[in-house]
Amino acid sequence: GIQVEQSPPDLILQEGANSTLRCNFSDSVNNLQWFHQNPWGQLINLFYIPSGTKQNGRLSATTVATERYSLLYISSSQTTDSGVYFCAGGNSGYALNFGKGTSLLVTP
Amino acid sequence: EPEVTQTPSHQVTQMGQEVILRCVPISNHLYFYWYRQILGQKVEFLVSFYNNEISEKSEIFDDQFSVERPDGSNFTLKIRSTKLEDSAMYFCASSERVRSNQPQHFGDGTRLSIL
């Protein structure tokens, strides 16, 4: 299956700072999603972004499909942004392959 | 916004017992999935289901696992004889008819604890 590498594995930010999370794929994908896992374990869908750029409030994402990577930008971070961010991709139409995640802690 | 519903939110079961995890996918979705996440690890694909049959499964999805759509709304994952290592969060997901790839919508998960 597709290998998904996320970086950095851990990130500590002060409230108000900006950050960029990266996701690299071992093969081309035609389904790519970013998730935020909150402290209760829920997977919150942030973006469906197999290509191009999308923005939702303080979050935006860009996928460069030809180069097999995606970026998640968090601006003006808040303590509620803390949690684990996962990207996941697939090309079979079925399975999503997840990365190991970026664990983000935003401190006051 | 329609959502995927999973029950129960937490299940505690003795090793060796059978367990059934239940999911109600979004009503107009036709593709259904199960994933699991062992504590502290990444989310892993188990199985996808379309038109009343398995369309893809991973190596994890061995003979102790089965899936079923018993009626028009529920989608279930059965673990036949649970082991300690089955302790994990299990997520159900669904997606629309695939004309092109569509996002998968995830439920809140069932936390399964095997004692």
Side-chain angles (χ1 to χ4, degrees), chain B residues 28-47:
Chain B
N28 65 332
H29 286 187
L30 298 178
Y31 290 79
F32 315 117
Y33 314 84
W34 284 101
Y35 292 81
R36 80 170 186 191
Q37 184 183 30
I38 295 170
L39 186 63
Q41 299 187 21
K42 68 178 182 179
V43 179
E44 301 172 292
F45 169 76
L46 292 178
V47 66

Side-chain angles (χ1 to χ4, degrees), chain A residues 59-89:
Chain A
L59 301 182
S60 64
T62 294
T63 296
V64 183
T66 53
E67 297 190 20
R68 303 177 187 171
Y69 73 88
S70 184
L71 303 173
L72 178 70
Y73 305 96
I74 305 174
S75 64
S76 305
S77 57
Q78 300 176 358
T79 55
T80 51
D81 294 332
S82 296
V84 183
Y85 289 80
F86 290 101
C87 66

Side-chain angles (χ1 to χ4, degrees), chain A:
Chain A
I2 297 170
Q3 305 301 309
V4 181
E5 189 178 310
Q6 289 191 244
S7 60
D10 301 282
L11 188 58
I12 300 176
L13 297 175
Q14 198 146 29
E15 206 166 20
N18 303 327
S19 62
T20 301
L21 282 55
R22 185 178 176 108
C23 192
N24 291 328
F25 294 90
S26 62
D27 200 354
S28 59
V29 296
N30 50 24
N31 185 353
L32 196 160
Q33 295 180 240
W34 281 96
F35 298 89
H36 175 217
Q37 187 164 44
N38 64 22
W40 296 271
Q42 296 170 321
L43 280 175
I44 311 300
N45 189 37
L46 298 176
F47 293 102
Y48 169 70
I49 187 165
S51 64
T53 297
K54 289 186 178 179
Q55 178 149 11
N56 185 4
R58 297 181 294 102
L59 301 182
S60 64
T62 294
T63 296
V64 183
T66 53
E67 297 190 20
R68 303 177 187 171
Y69 73 88
S70 184
L71 303 173
L72 178 70
Y73 305 96
I74 305 174
S75 64
S76 305
S77 57
Q78 300 176 358
T79 55
T80 51
D81 294 332
S82 296
V84 183
Y85 289 80
F86 290 101
C87 66
N91 59 17
S92 70
Y94 302 117
L96 277 178
N97 299 280
F98 282 72
K100 292 183 178 180
T102 292
S103 180
L104 173 64
L105 176 64
V106 181
T107 60

Side-chain angles (χ1 to χ4, degrees), chain B residues 68-92:
Chain B
E68 191 179 28
R69 187 149 165 86
D71 53 43
S73 59
N74 289 284
F75 179 52
T76 61
L77 175 69
K78 181 191 291 185
I79 308 176
R80 209 176 323 278
S81 177
T82 50
K83 307 170 190 168
L84 292 176
E85 54 264 37
D86 294 327
S87 294
M89 179 79 99
Y90 288 80
F91 292 102
C92 174

